[in-house]
Every structure is written in C-alpha cells, then in structure tokens.
Amino acid sequence: MDAYLVGGFVRDRLLQRRPSDRDWVVVGSDAEAMLARGFKQVGKDFPVFLHPQSKEEYALARGKDPAGKLRANPGVTLEEDLARRDLTINAMAMDRDGKLIDPFHGAEDLARGVLRHLPSFADDPLRILRLARLAAQLGFSIAEETADLARRMVAEGRLHSLPAERIWQELHRALCSPSPRRFIEALRELDALQAILPEVNALFGVPQPEKHHPEIDTGLHVLLALDQATLLTDDPLVRFAVLVHDLGKAATPPQYWPSHRGHETLGVPLVNRLCRRLRIPGRYQKLARRTARYHLLAHLALELKPKTLAKLLADLDAWRAPEDFERFLLACQSDARGRKGLQEHPYPQADFLRRIRDLTKDISAKDIPSDITGKKVGARIHQLRCQRIAAFKKQRHKTRQGVS
C-alpha cells in the first residue's frame, strides 16, 4: 500500500513548528486489506485504522462519487483526497522519504502567510470557524476570495446548523492559541461573530466613559483585555472569563451611555445564556459568572468596607478554591489593563485581596464557642473575618500615613 503523511503534520513541519500528530492517508487499499495487515479499525462511515505498532491513524483515500458524496475506495488518487480538504495549506502530503506533494500550491501560501480555500471548503460551515481559528493560531491573513466565500455561507444561514459542541471545540482551541483576539476579529471580518457569539458581537459600538476607557468602544476594550489575558496566562478558563466579562454593557439602557451602572448584574444572565447555548463546561461557566458579577468590586477592593470584602471572598469561595480565586484575579487584572495606553498599569488590588484571603483563611467553625449552633456559626465566622480585615486595614492605613 502507498501511505502519505497529510494535513497539519506537513503544514507544521514546513513552518518548523512542533508538528501535530502524524496522520496518514492510504492510497490503493481497502478495509479488508488493512485488517489483513493487522490494523485496527475505528469509526464506521469513514473508517480510520490504527497502526498495530505505532497506533498512528491511517485513513483510506476519499473522493467524491458522481452523486457528490465522499467515498473511500482503492481507485481514489492522492490528489483527489487532498482536493476535498479545506485550505491549500492543509492539502499537502509527504511520502515516506519526505518528498512534498503539493498539487494546490499550499507551500506558496504558507510562505506568504495566507489562508486560501479549496472548492470543497463550502461543504462544511464549521470550516469558517476553523479558518478564524487558524488565523489566530498561525497569525495568517485570509485571502479575500476566501473571506467572500465565508461571508456568503454566513449570509445563507449555514452556521445555524452547527452543533454546539463543535463550536465550543473551535472556540476552546482559539482561546489556547497565541492570539485569541485574532479569532474574534476574524469572525467579525467574516460576518460570523453575530451568528456564533452574538453577546460579544453586541459590544462593538457600545461607548464607555473616555476618562476610564480611552479606547471608548467596549468591543475594543474586550479585545485589549483578551490581549492582556494572553500575556498573563495560557489558561483558557481565564481567557474565556475575560472574553465575556463585560457582556452586560450591551444590555444597559442606551439613554444612560456611556455610563454602564449595574452592568455586572446584567451580564450574568447573558453569560448563562451563552454557556447554555454552546454547552460550555461547568468550570468555565463558574469562573465566567464570577468574573462578570464581581470584577468591579475587585477593582474597588482597596476602598471596600471589611464586611463587603469578607462577603466578596465568601462569594468567590476564595478559601476553599484558591486556584479559581487566582484565576479570577488574573481575569480582573486583564480587564484593568485592557485599556488603551494603560496596558502596563499596576494592579495592587490583586495582592491586597490575596493578603485578605491569607489573613482570614484559618478562621473556621473550631473558633466558634460550642453554644453557638446552626446558621449563627456562619454569621460568627463572618464577623470574625470582618474584625480581622478591619484590623488589617487600620494597620495598613497607619503604615501608609507613617511612610508619607
């Protein structure tokens, strides 16, 4: 049998990046012959076979039959198989000796940094999201004719048929990419953001007070904050929380713009709606809700009363879930720095809240007299935390006065 390396492995090798998994396409064979060679079949509609030793995936070459349906059979050529792929840079193959087979000039587009479609691109609307995701991963531009095709597909309503799980899969990959911002920008360029993330799309054009947000536009602020999250962490949970932290600003009454009083509360149901629609995992939902609801309080932490600080940390589950608390602080720091000209602005609120958490983490039910029971135990714990926070703030104030 003739087998060729294909897809992302070839692309990444030419880019001198760490290659993705090795995938093979087999020409001139069928399922019976593969099984006879000891391969294990997985999948039914388009069978893929696992190599008996390496466990790498080998797929039979597929091409379109006269009815336009993809079929795998021994008569399909390598070029026919490559022609069914989405982009020229993904339609290259290598033989076992490392010789490049490139019938659609993918290497040229790779060198130019251009994402260009093949005719089969239109067969699957999910490829629009993959196009935007590759733009984020590779930093490539999108060929104008490819962008035009994607826009036509969007206008035809093709994105509405996509399963939620596939959308989330592409969004998650984009959040893990070097430039999640580029994914959102590319979706906007392709007129696809409204169909995929209408809550985020609604933020563009919504003004904010120039005093606090020199960039003014809320959508631009979210992109700047996403840039900061990308610099601070590679954690997709934090990046997703930053992406949706200000959804409420599109829901505040326009007559009060650029003020967005109460946008934190308004944002929570929008976060919930987006997460339900895309079936986003619970861990992402929890952090996103908390960031939307409490990011403004975090920004005001240095000014908050002890009882408000104690309640904030309790609502964030800061003592029992310290890792999620750290993620929340990173999201808030990204938000604070996601402003034009303020990207290097210090964020002392994070260390302040960490200090408050550490000072109060040892307070528990064991500190409560045995004659206090039921709900009074929680109230007493809260009171003890408030007292300790108040003492810390008082000492901190005295210290700062002494320094000045």
Side-chain angles (χ1 to χ4, degrees):
M1 69 179 186
D2 294 324
Y4 302 87
L5 284 163
V6 293
F9 179 89
V10 178
R11 180 193 71 221
D12 291 342
R13 183 167 175 177
L14 291 178
L15 287 172
Q16 297 184 333
R17 296 160 58 98
R18 182 178 179 180
S20 54
D21 293 337
R22 289 158 54 103
D23 292 326
W24 299 81
V25 65
V26 179
V27 177
S29 189
D30 58 22
E32 289 74 16
M34 298 294 287
L35 294 173
R37 290 173 179 268
F39 284 78
K40 180 180 180 181
Q41 181 174 334
V42 292
K44 295 181 180 179
D45 294 337
F46 294 112
V48 174
F49 301 85
L50 300 182
H51 191 281
Q53 278 81 46
S54 69
K55 306 304 178 183
E56 292 175 344
E57 292 188 357
Y58 285 66
L60 297 177
R62 288 177 278 169
K64 288 187 177 181
D65 64 15
K69 293 186 176 181
L70 282 176
R71 302 291 185 192
N73 67 68
V76 176
T77 67
L78 176 62
E79 183 169 333
E80 287 175 323
D81 181 88
L82 295 176
R84 69 179 176 79
R85 298 174 187 270
D86 54 353
L87 303 170
T88 61
I89 66 168
N90 292 328
M92 297 180 288
M94 280 185 177
D95 65 16
R96 294 184 184 275
D97 296 325
K99 179 185 176 183
L100 182 67
I101 297 96
D102 183 15
F104 305 106
H105 311 291
E108 294 179 16
D109 284 336
L110 209 60
R112 296 189 188 104
V114 175
L115 301 173
R116 193 184 314 276
H117 73 284
L118 294 174
S120 58
F121 182 93
D123 293 346
D124 184 359
L126 184 68
R127 289 173 169 177
I128 297 173
L129 272 68
R130 191 177 186 212
L131 178 66
R133 190 252 299 170
L134 284 173
Q137 285 184 329
L138 302 177
F140 281 17
S141 63
I142 299 172
E144 190 53 43
E145 63 270 24
T146 301
D148 288 341
L149 172 60
R151 293 185 193 107
R152 290 196 299 272
M153 292 170 67
V154 172
E156 293 167 0
R158 300 280 303 280
L159 291 177
H160 297 309
S161 64
L162 292 178
E165 294 83 359
R166 301 296 298 279
I167 295 174
W168 168 243
Q169 184 180 51
E170 291 299 325
L171 174 56
H172 184 265
R173 288 176 177 175
L175 290 170
C176 295
S177 77
S179 180
R181 172 198 183 129
R182 178 67 184 125
F183 179 72
I184 301 300
E185 289 178 326
L187 289 180
R188 287 195 76 215
E189 293 169 15
L190 304 174
D191 298 337
L193 189 59
Q194 172 60 33
I196 300 301
L197 296 169
E199 299 87 355
V200 175
N201 189 66
L203 298 175
F204 290 91
V206 175
Q208 302 170 113
E210 186 174 2
K211 176 182 177 182
H212 303 295
H213 286 277
E215 71 283 355
I216 300 177
D217 187 280
T218 305
L220 177 55
H221 160 61
V222 169
L223 295 181
L224 290 171
L226 204 50
D227 283 341
Q228 291 300 308
T230 305
L231 291 172
L232 288 170
T233 178
D234 59 2
D235 191 337
L237 279 87
V238 176
R239 296 179 180 188
F240 176 70
V242 171
L243 176 64
V244 300
H245 80 280
D246 260 353
L247 296 186
K249 287 184 177 177
T252 55
Q255 60 267 33
Y256 298 124
W257 289 357
S259 173
H260 295 285
R261 187 181 299 274
H263 76 275
E264 318 94 277
T265 303
L266 292 171
V268 174
L270 294 174
V271 170
N272 289 337
R273 186 178 75 183
L274 185 157
C275 291
R276 283 196 303 269
R277 186 178 68 251
L278 298 185
R279 300 179 185 177
I280 291 174
R283 292 176 64 213
Y284 288 81
Q285 294 188 38
K286 181 190 294 184
L287 182 63
R289 278 195 299 267
R290 287 176 174 173
T291 304
R293 177 66 184 87
Y294 296 113
H295 66 273
L296 187 55
L297 279 179
H299 298 337
L300 298 172
L302 301 177
E303 307 165 25
L304 297 179
K305 296 178 179 180
K307 65 178 182 180
T308 306
L309 285 166
K311 186 178 186 307
L312 173 62
L313 294 187
D315 289 346
L316 294 172
D317 207 10
W319 299 285
R320 294 190 305 174
E323 291 182 358
D324 284 343
F325 181 62
E326 286 299 321
R327 291 187 177 101
F328 169 80
L329 294 178
L330 283 172
C332 293
Q333 183 175 359
S334 302
D335 175 37
R337 289 184 173 179
R339 296 178 290 167
K340 186 177 179 180
L342 299 171
Q343 289 88 340
E344 301 297 326
H345 199 70
Y347 193 66
Q349 294 91 328
D351 284 337
F352 177 78
L353 287 170
R354 290 187 186 101
R355 181 64 173 151
I356 293 295
R357 186 268 317 273
D358 292 343
L359 280 171
T360 54
K361 65 182 180 181
D362 63 330
I363 298 175
S364 64
K366 64 180 176 56
D367 302 302
I368 310 302
S370 58
D371 59 330
I372 297 178
T373 58
K375 293 182 179 180
K376 292 182 179 180
V377 173
R380 181 57 179 157
I381 290 175
H382 176 74
Q383 184 182 36
L384 291 175
R385 287 170 177 165
C386 290
Q387 290 173 356
R388 192 169 293 181
I389 294 171
F392 168 71
K393 290 195 68 177
K394 184 177 180 180
Q395 182 60 42
R396 182 173 179 272
H397 179 68
K398 287 181 178 180
T399 302
R400 290 171 66 88
Q401 280 188 324
V403 170
S404 60

